[in-house]
Amino acid sequence: MADPPGLCPDSIANLFDISYSAAAPSVGLDLIGLKRDKTVTTDDVPEFAPLDGHFLRYKWYRIQSDRKVAVCSVHPSEQATLQCLGCVKAKIPISKSYHCSPKCFSDAWQHHRVLHDRAASSVNENGNEEEEIFGRFNSTGSGVISASLTGSASSTSLTNGSTPLYPAAVTQRSGGETWFEVGRSKTYTPTTDDIGHVLKFECVVIDAETKLSLGHPHTILTSRVIPAPCPSPRHLIPVGGADMMAQLDSDGRISSPGTFTVLTYNILSDSYASSELYSYCPSWALSWPYRRQNLLREIIGYRADIVCLQEVQSDHFDDFFAPELDKHGYQALYKRKTNEVYSGNIHTIDGCATFFRRDRFSHVKKYEVEFNKAAQSLTEVAVQTTQKKAALNRLVKDNVALIVVLEAKFTNQGADNPGKRQLLCVANTHVNVQQELKDVKIWQVHTLLKGLEKIAASADIPMLVCGDFNAVPGSAPHSLLAMGKVDPLHPDLVVDPLAILRPHSKLTHQLPLVSAYSAFLRGVGLGLEQQRRRMDPTTNEPLFTNCTRDFIGTLDYIFYTADSLTVESLLELLDEDSLRKDTALPSPEWSSDHVALLAEFRCVPRPRR
């Protein structure tokens, strides 16, 4: 199935694991069965290219029922089966009182009870909510539906899918339902008129010569079409004293001359996005066909000059992200994780992907860091022979880093040497996730930093270190990054069965790294007070960049060399309450369990040494 053009559809229909485009699986092909040469095809069989004298004809219908239907406030594609009486008594908008199951209500209770607390001191907001929610799902007496039907009926022609034009909608009535024909191709992209209604797909085999149908049509019903989730846009907040707030949207990036923006984002690999781990997220919103489009829309909307993504599956990089971002002017580089531990499909193993805008940067050099190789080298020289196997079992975790050296194509206003090449080194990594392996996390971060020190020694170059470090603020890996050393008495250092962290005095580096988001606590400017409330003043880091039902905390960072770069602005942080309305991440609005971070930088002359 080809995804429909555009990245922001009006609505979503759920059909199996298909979302943005309500597309029929090859149901009609079963009617033909085997071809005469005994092979099976899943290709479309259009009228202009019949197969064995037959072709397939498709129709899509919008079904509008005469009866009222209430929908779940948490899972709007599901019909409600219970209502919270507390909401009714508190006169909370009735649409928020419906749930599809006791489990749904239980899972949502932590956020739901906030509505009750607020209602106790708020003005009655109920209004005509009941009329509105029921009106969307019936065909009698609703202004919303009347407008919808009038719009459809007055159309002289319609377009959808691959068929360019076909006659106006055909109306049928059956068993208290009205069917409006809305499409005649294998795929159909729902419109605003379809929101709240079930779609029916019909496929029938047609004799190419007589044009008569063979047998009965095969049909599939979708669940209800719901509005496409539309998260509130995140703004770029100046931290250097500017008095304006720039909004990142599809109209373009607002930034100062000579600056550049960097995004880091763990997008949640499809191989990890299981319904067991994220049972609170609707299945349609967890499906990759939906998430990939929602992620792409979000990433493109930020219009970052450099994009560092983690948990990008190898096949998704080749088949989706690289070609899609290429259309928007990005060059792509990728480092797949190694597969000494991984036992799944080699094509679905994830890795780190770095993209940069071709009109802003050119590629100079690429370094690939495989921590497995570093583990081999370490055990050869630092581990006793009897412990080598155990050491490798502990250290070999397939994690990688991708280091890219870029050259800026824009001029850096204020530079002391305008004619000098402006290089930039960007590291993108995903550190091991296992919390019990604290020594492995510290060792991986230390190994990366030592590699970056070598690059810094060979070239006068600003550096960015981005990624998912799977380390909370104050942990030993974070201390090493932010402070350049680890306190020998740090509790994380207790876990060191291989003695790879000793002596503790070696856990240092000379790069002047600072966390970009600490600028929210240092900066001056409009909008900073709200952002400071979303920061932890004890660690100078965001309160969270990862938010699931079982964990909330900061794991993702953008570090920069403070002697050569300065932070101009930061992408605003999200509020936990706004995310908890969907229980946690991922959600229909945000398609990863992590939050994207973005910073705008300016290169500054290094102090003379």
Side-chain angles (χ1 to χ4, degrees):
M1 180 201 76
D3 291 312
L7 294 173
C8 191
D10 297 317
S11 51
I12 296 168
N14 309 308
L15 179 59
F16 297 95
D17 63 344
I18 307 301
S19 32
Y20 272 103
S21 179
S26 51
V27 57
L29 297 174
D30 295 334
L31 300 176
I32 295 178
L34 294 175
K35 293 159 60 175
R36 287 177 181 167
D37 61 1
K38 305 301 181 183
T39 60
V40 177
T41 180
T42 57
D43 296 332
D44 192 7
V45 186
E47 184 173 1
F48 62 81
L51 174 64
D52 295 340
H54 304 88
F55 65 89
L56 297 177
R57 178 175 291 165
Y58 311 107
K59 288 187 180 180
W60 287 88
Y61 296 95
R62 178 172 67 245
I63 302 176
Q64 295 182 185
S65 175
D66 292 345
R67 67 186 183 90
K68 293 182 177 181
V69 177
V71 295
C72 176
S73 60
V74 178
H75 307 109
S77 61
E78 303 296 330
Q79 186 171 333
T81 62
L82 60 89
Q83 184 178 27
C84 172
L85 295 180
C87 287
V88 178
K89 292 178 181 178
K91 296 184 179 179
I92 292 169
I94 202 165
S95 62
K96 301 182 186 298
S97 69
Y98 293 112
H99 294 268
C100 57
S101 68
K103 184 178 185 303
C104 167
F105 184 56
S106 174
D107 289 346
W109 174 247
Q110 184 176 2
H111 177 77
H112 184 86
R113 69 177 179 181
V114 174
L115 299 176
H116 292 206
D117 297 338
R118 290 175 180 169
S121 58
S122 66
V123 180
N124 177 6
E125 301 177 301
N126 202 38
N128 297 321
E129 186 73 17
E130 181 172 5
E131 177 185 345
E132 292 173 3
I133 186 170
F134 283 132
R136 289 200 298 267
F137 305 112
N138 71 81
S139 58
T140 58
S142 167
V144 175
I145 293 299
S146 295
S148 168
L149 299 185
T150 301
S152 296
S154 63
S155 301
T156 57
S157 63
L158 301 172
T159 62
N160 217 310
S162 58
T163 306
L165 292 170
Y166 54 87
V170 177
T171 303
Q172 302 178 23
R173 285 193 59 81
S174 175
E177 294 178 336
T178 304
W179 299 0
F180 291 89
E181 184 185 327
V182 293
R184 290 188 181 179
S185 61
K186 189 176 181 180
T187 62
Y188 173 72
T189 304
T191 68
T192 52
D193 288 347
D194 300 316
I195 294 175
H197 303 289
V198 170
L199 298 176
K200 184 174 88 166
F201 172 76
E202 179 181 282
C203 176
V204 64
V205 176
I206 303 295
D207 186 295
E209 184 176 345
T210 65
K211 300 297 188 288
L212 298 176
S213 61
L214 303 179
H216 296 289
H218 279 208
T219 61
I220 292 178
L221 296 179
T222 72
S223 51
R224 297 184 182 279
V225 178
I226 65 172
C230 190
S232 301
R234 296 172 67 185
H235 299 84
L236 199 60
I237 311 292
V239 294
D243 58 358
M244 292 187 66
M245 185 165 60
Q247 181 170 335
L248 291 175
D249 56 29
S250 58
D251 294 330
R253 174 176 51 83
I254 303 174
S255 62
S256 306
T259 65
F260 63 93
T261 51
V262 178
L263 173 79
T264 186
Y265 196 6
N266 180 327
I267 63 170
L268 179 59
S269 167
D270 184 45
S271 58
Y272 305 144
S274 68
S275 56
E276 290 77 19
L277 280 176
Y278 306 106
S279 59
Y280 50 84
C281 183
S283 58
W284 58 265
L286 200 57
S287 71
W288 182 242
Y290 172 79
R291 288 203 308 117
R292 72 175 189 173
Q293 290 289 359
N294 207 31
L295 288 165
L296 181 65
R297 177 176 59 181
E298 181 186 358
I299 292 166
I300 290 172
Y302 294 136
R303 296 184 61 81
D305 296 312
I306 302 169
V307 176
C308 297
L309 302 182
Q310 303 86 44
E311 290 195 20
V312 180
Q313 284 186 198
S314 178
D315 55 341
H316 294 164
F317 174 81
D318 292 333
D319 300 338
F320 184 70
F321 284 109
E324 288 298 326
L325 286 170
D326 176 72
K327 298 174 185 176
H328 294 270
Y330 288 94
Q331 184 170 330
L333 298 166
Y334 183 69
K335 175 55 183 172
R336 189 178 68 186
K337 282 167 123 175
T338 46
N339 63 328
E340 293 180 48
V341 177
Y342 182 78
S343 58
N345 185 335
I346 190 66
H347 299 295
T348 61
I349 193 169
D350 65 284
C352 297
T354 299
F355 304 84
F356 60 90
R357 296 179 69 92
R358 287 186 292 266
D359 62 338
R360 303 277 288 164
F361 291 95
S362 59
H363 177 219
V364 177
K365 196 160 188 178
K366 169 185 173 183
Y367 301 89
E368 296 183 346
V369 179
E370 295 184 358
F371 294 112
N372 283 5
K373 288 184 178 179
Q376 294 278 1
S377 300
L378 177 67
T379 55
E380 287 296 324
V381 299
V383 178
Q384 296 178 5
T385 304
T386 56
Q387 287 187 300
K388 284 192 190 314
K389 184 175 181 181
L392 288 174
N393 284 339
R394 187 169 184 87
L395 293 175
V396 171
K397 299 301 174 191
D398 287 339
N399 299 93
V400 298
L402 174 62
I403 304 173
V404 179
V405 177
L406 304 174
E407 180 178 356
K409 293 184 177 181
F410 52 89
T411 57
N412 182 26
Q413 293 187 351
D416 56 348
N417 188 355
K420 183 181 177 182
R421 294 175 69 195
Q422 181 59 68
L423 299 178
L424 178 70
C425 180
V426 183
N428 177 9
T429 191
H430 188 190
V431 173
N432 185 252
V433 68
Q434 293 167 273
Q435 295 305 311
E436 68 275 14
L437 300 180
K438 297 183 187 300
D439 54 327
V440 178
K441 291 176 185 287
I442 302 168
W443 170 75
Q444 287 185 350
V445 172
H446 186 248
T447 300
L448 173 62
L449 291 171
K450 286 302 171 183
L452 291 173
E453 275 189 329
K454 292 179 181 178
I455 297 174
S458 64
D460 183 18
I461 182 170
M463 290 196 167
L464 293 163
V465 187
C466 308
D468 176 1
F469 292 85
N470 274 309
V472 297
S475 64
H478 179 266
S479 296
L480 182 58
L481 283 158
M483 307 299 294
K485 61 182 179 179
V486 181
D487 187 327
L489 299 179
H490 197 291
D492 285 0
L493 300 183
V494 174
V495 181
D496 188 17
L498 302 173
I500 59 173
L501 305 180
R502 298 172 199 158
H504 297 153
S505 58
K506 75 177 183 181
L507 297 178
T508 63
H509 68 88
Q510 301 304 312
L511 300 173
L513 295 180
V514 175
S515 177
Y517 270 77
S518 65
F520 268 150
L521 295 173
R522 302 191 311 270
V524 292
L526 183 67
L528 287 181
E529 283 306 314
Q530 183 184 60
Q531 297 307 306
R532 285 174 180 146
R533 290 194 292 270
R534 299 172 184 176
M535 296 283 293
D536 182 349
T538 63
T539 63
N540 290 344
E541 296 290 0
L543 290 173
F544 68 91
T545 64
N546 179 254
C547 179
T548 66
R549 184 166 54 192
D550 304 319
F551 173 83
I552 183 167
T554 294
L555 303 175
D556 309 85
Y557 306 93
I558 300 174
F559 286 95
Y560 67 100
T561 46
D563 65 343
S564 54
L565 294 168
T566 183
V567 181
E568 296 281 306
S569 9
L570 294 166
L571 185 65
E572 69 177 324
L573 297 167
L574 293 177
D575 176 58
E576 182 182 354
D577 285 345
S578 69
L579 302 181
R580 290 299 186 190
K581 68 180 174 58
D582 291 309
T583 302
L585 298 178
S587 69
E589 290 186 348
W590 306 102
S591 287
S592 174
D593 56 344
H594 288 251
V595 172
L597 300 179
L598 182 145
E600 181 185 19
F601 293 98
R602 183 186 299 278
C603 294
V604 295
R606 286 181 186 269
R608 301 194 182 279
R609 296 172 180 172

